[in-house]
Amino acid sequence: RKEVEQDPGPFNVPEGATVAFNCTYSNSASQSFFWYRQDCRKEPKLLMSVYSSGNEDGRFTAQLNRASQYISLLIRDSKLSDSATYLCVVPLNAGNMLTFGGGTRLMVKP
Amino acid sequence: EPEVTQTPSHQVTQMGQEVILRCVPISNHLYFYWYRQILGQKVEFLVSFYNNEISEKSEIFDDQFSVERPDGSNFTLKIRSTKLEDSAMYFCASRGRTPSTDTQYFGPGTRLTVL
């Protein structure tokens, strides 16, 4: 099983839609998780941190299911500017090493 | 807002040549990292650096790679003899002032092209 696994997409959605991505991870000892956003040929930028059952920030909600070892990201009321690749990231070794999923590509269309 | 900076933004080199990629982490950060991303693939961890020594390294980080913090601000990645497969985007990252601050902030990257 891959350390961090994501559906690569692309997810093509209209503006205003709600879209959800899932991510599964293999290391059951992981305590914290991140969603990063990456625009084409740019650096990953932190979107959300997930430390307990979940986190909400405006239109973005992240949920964690430790029993099933998956994390989800929900985006409500999608904007054109949300078009990007969303990276599920699991820190290992006391945060000294980030393990990235392959990313899920989102395309929001007018 | 403080940010990680990297130079150059694009480096083109011939196979077998040495390259040095430079990074200036966020001021007062204590933990420094290099990652790479081959075009179309996922971001991969290379090495972490703390207290002037390597704390973790991946299988990718072989004897051809080295890191250094030559002064109080710069953090460099050296590839001694580049190979075609070293062509990738190289990201530097830095992390907070305390061990409990685990968010890593990434620089804009250096695109390395090996011909």
Side-chain angles (χ1 to χ4, degrees):
Chain A
R1 182 179 181 181
K2 289 182 185 175
E3 289 180 332
V4 184
E5 200 155 359
Q6 297 181 251
D7 180 344
F11 284 59
N12 295 297
V13 303
E15 267 187 295
T18 295
V19 62
F21 312 133
N22 285 333
C23 164
T24 57
Y25 60 93
S26 60
N27 189 337
S28 59
S30 298
Q31 295 296 311
S32 58
F33 307 88
F34 301 101
W35 284 101
Y36 277 74
R37 170 197 167 121
Q38 186 175 32
D39 292 288
C40 188
R41 295 178 180 247
K42 300 286 188 182
E43 74 273 26
K45 290 187 178 178
L46 180 68
L47 181 65
M48 297 187 76
S49 307
V50 189
Y51 295 105
S52 55
S53 61
N55 192 10
E56 184 171 334
D57 183 5
R59 299 183 292 110
F60 299 85
T61 301
Q63 290 194 315
L64 169 62
N65 184 319
R66 288 189 191 276
S68 301
Q69 292 180 215
Y70 80 78
I71 315 129
S72 64
L73 177 67
L74 182 80
I75 304 175
R76 289 181 295 277
D77 188 23
S78 300
K79 313 288 185 194
L80 294 176
S81 56
D82 293 334
S83 297
T85 297
Y86 290 83
L87 307 175
C88 178
V89 181
V90 181
L92 299 177
N93 298 350
N96 254 340
M97 175 176 12
L98 295 184
T99 306
F100 285 78
T104 298
R105 190 168 170 212
L106 172 66
M107 297 178 69
V108 181
K109 307 233 180 243
Chain B
E1 184 177 317
E3 56 184 23
V4 178
T5 59
Q6 291 185 242
T7 54
S9 57
H10 191 187
Q11 174 89 48
V12 181
T13 190
Q14 295 290 326
M15 191 169 56
Q17 294 297 303
E18 174 183 287
V19 294
I20 298 176
L21 310 182
R22 291 184 168 78
C23 167
V24 178
I26 293 173
S27 178
N28 294 327
H29 275 191
L30 300 177
Y31 301 83
F32 313 112
Y33 308 87
W34 284 101
Y35 293 82
R36 80 169 186 191
Q37 187 175 30
I38 295 170
L39 188 63
Q41 297 187 23
K42 65 180 182 179
V43 178
E44 299 174 290
F45 169 80
L46 292 178
V47 66
S48 62
F49 191 86
Y50 169 72
N51 200 25
N52 284 320
E53 60 182 26
I54 290 173
S55 46
E56 299 278 351
K57 61 181 181 178
S58 70
E59 292 176 352
I60 303 167
F61 194 88
D62 61 23
D63 293 343
Q64 292 299 312
F65 291 87
S66 62
V67 289
E68 197 177 31
R69 188 156 161 83
D71 52 42
S73 59
N74 290 285
F75 179 51
T76 62
L77 174 70
K78 181 193 289 186
I79 309 175
R80 273 183 257 285
S81 177
T82 50
K83 306 182 185 70
L84 295 176
E85 55 264 35
D86 292 329
S87 294
M89 195 77 164
Y90 288 81
F91 294 109
C92 173
S94 69
R95 178 162 75 104
R97 300 168 180 81
T98 67
S100 62
T101 309
D102 57 3
T103 301
Q104 294 186 23
Y105 296 91
F106 284 76
T110 292
R111 179 168 301 283
L112 177 65
T113 302
V114 182
L115 303 175

